[in-house]
Amino acid sequence: MSAAERILERDGIQALTLRATARAAGVSHAAPASHFGDLTGLLSELAALGYRRFGKAVFEAMEAAGEDPRARMKAMGRAYVGFARKHPGLFSLMYRSERLDPARPALRDAIAEARSALRAAASARAQEQPLPPLQTAAQSAALWALVHGFAVLLIDGRLSALIASLPGEEGADTLLEAVLATARVGE
């Protein structure tokens, strides 16, 4: 699996094949097929690994933020974008549903674990400020769209010119904090 992840991060999803994975891992060309079945199986297992890491990163960031639901929401947003920056290939793969098999137990379970970490932040906020279900869902969707969109724009290089135009030492992290503040995340 580590060989596949290295190829994904270094060369992108288009370079990730069963044959390339076997070559990088130093095993027979048939080994990945016997273990994963096909390329969709390999990609799904790799995405499952990503979701487990992602869920852990989000959970740990929220735990480190303490009990304040507002601080936890901001920490979740920072961890979401931070994961995408650290693992851009894996992050992109995780959201390529046309290349994944959602029926694979490992992927299904890893997605559920990651979602539970994200729901924990939303439920803490909802307990502090009870809202009707539609409004709670709208807030969750808005936060997800905000941080996911920021992460995608960042890893695709679409924010490079904007970040380069910022004064002084300000960069992507400063811009993310300003975006979270503008959207009133954590308020």
Side-chain angles (χ1 to χ4, degrees):
M1 189 68 70
S2 61
E5 185 178 0
R6 281 192 308 274
I7 293 168
L8 177 66
E9 293 296 350
R10 183 187 64 226
D11 304 321
I13 194 170
Q14 68 283 356
L16 186 57
T17 64
L18 292 176
R19 203 171 269 279
T21 301
R23 195 170 29 257
V27 298
S28 77
H29 291 297
S34 68
H35 188 71
F36 299 108
D38 58 12
L39 183 58
T40 297
L42 172 64
L43 295 174
S44 297
E45 293 297 321
L46 195 52
L49 172 72
Y51 276 109
R52 284 191 298 275
R53 283 186 193 160
F54 171 74
K56 182 177 186 239
V58 167
F59 179 78
E60 288 175 353
M62 290 188 311
E63 287 298 303
E67 295 299 317
D68 178 25
R70 292 174 181 100
R72 291 173 71 84
M73 291 294 279
K74 280 187 165 183
M76 186 273 300
R78 286 190 295 269
Y80 194 108
V81 173
F83 179 86
R85 289 176 77 184
K86 186 174 181 182
H87 307 284
L90 201 51
F91 180 81
S92 295
L93 173 65
M94 290 161 52
Y95 293 97
R96 297 289 305 265
S97 57
E98 78 279 5
R99 300 295 304 264
L100 305 177
D101 178 4
R104 287 184 81 91
L107 181 58
R108 186 184 60 238
D109 294 348
I111 290 171
E113 287 174 32
R115 284 184 180 156
S116 72
L118 296 172
R119 271 196 294 277
S123 68
R125 175 79 169 143
Q127 289 174 358
E128 180 189 59
Q129 182 183 12
L131 296 170
L134 177 60
Q135 193 63 30
T136 299
Q139 282 186 349
S140 294
L143 179 58
W144 184 20
L146 178 75
V147 295
H148 186 81
F150 188 92
V152 169
L153 290 170
L154 187 62
I155 64 175
D156 284 351
R158 304 287 181 150
L159 295 176
S160 297
L162 184 60
I163 291 168
S165 73
L166 295 174
E169 300 290 316
E170 296 179 355
D173 293 332
T174 311
L175 181 58
L176 175 61
E177 289 301 320
V179 167
L180 293 172
T182 298
R184 301 176 54 121
V185 172
E187 290 185 22

